[in-house]
Amino acid sequence: VSRGIHPDACKASHIVEAAGLVGGPGAFWHMSKWCFDYFSRAAMIESDELYAELSEIGIDQSSFDHAMNLAAIDGWIEHDVEEGHDLGLSVTPMVFINGVEFRRWQRDGNLTIAVDAILKRAPAPMNAELDRPATALQKLVADWREGQRLPDLASPWGYWFGADPSEAKATVTLYGCYASGR
């Protein structure tokens, strides 16, 4: 990822993947929770606290360090990032129900209301392959048709090009990675 709002997110991804590689699925999920909890109280991961946690769940430091440097982990993370871009995931969390973005999920009771409405329609069972969000392009066009206001380029971590943004007749927001070459 070329730039992010979470300073150690890529390092955390490596930590979780390396823990899973060395310690299996239980270690993967344990370290995933640990990283989220850790970031709720600190901005950057301290090595001594990381190694103490790994030791507590039985992961050897040298095996973990070796796994952290494997190119395969870079590939897994890059694949996940590309999939997120392809699906138009622009913020976290984004909530999807049956492959459709569920907006306003933060309001009390809205998720329950939405799920109850779907259950009343008694939809056919779905599997994970069918429960896929729209592509980034499909989402962009649907949002535009609905008049959904997207984050603008004057956002805290965006840029604008051309005339004064307050005088613009249209705003085009492009999500991407400069390093990807796309």
Side-chain angles (χ1 to χ4, degrees), residues 9 25 29 33-34 41 87-88 103 111 114 116 118 122 156-157 165 178:
W29 291 113
K33 181 183 181 321
W34 183 84
R41 63 184 192 283
L87 293 172
R103 297 181 179 137
L111 183 58
D116 287 345
I118 291 168
W157 32 282
Y178 294 118

Side-chain angles (χ1 to χ4, degrees), residues 67-164:
M68 280 288 284
N69 293 308
L70 293 176
I73 290 179
D74 292 333
W76 300 337
I77 294 169
E78 185 176 327
H79 175 269
D80 287 349
V81 169
E82 287 177 6
E83 183 179 35
H85 284 271
D86 290 346
L87 293 172
L89 305 179
S90 56
V91 297
T92 59
M94 286 180 83
V95 177
F96 293 84
I97 299 176
N98 290 344
V100 178
E101 183 183 357
F102 175 59
R103 297 181 179 137
R104 297 175 196 85
W105 58 267
Q106 301 95 327
R107 293 185 184 157
D108 285 341
N110 274 4
L111 183 58
T112 301
I113 293 167
V115 170
D116 287 345
I118 291 168
L119 292 175
K120 283 181 185 174
R121 292 194 307 261
M126 295 179 69
N127 63 31
E129 190 59 37
L130 297 174
D131 191 20
R132 303 280 297 173
T135 65
L137 180 59
Q138 292 166 331
K139 182 180 178 335
L140 178 66
V141 170
D143 286 346
W144 173 74
R145 285 186 174 142
E146 293 174 14
Q148 176 69 28
R149 180 158 170 74
L150 299 173
D152 62 32
L153 297 179
S155 71
W157 32 282
Y159 301 94
W160 59 273
F161 177 76
D164 181 338

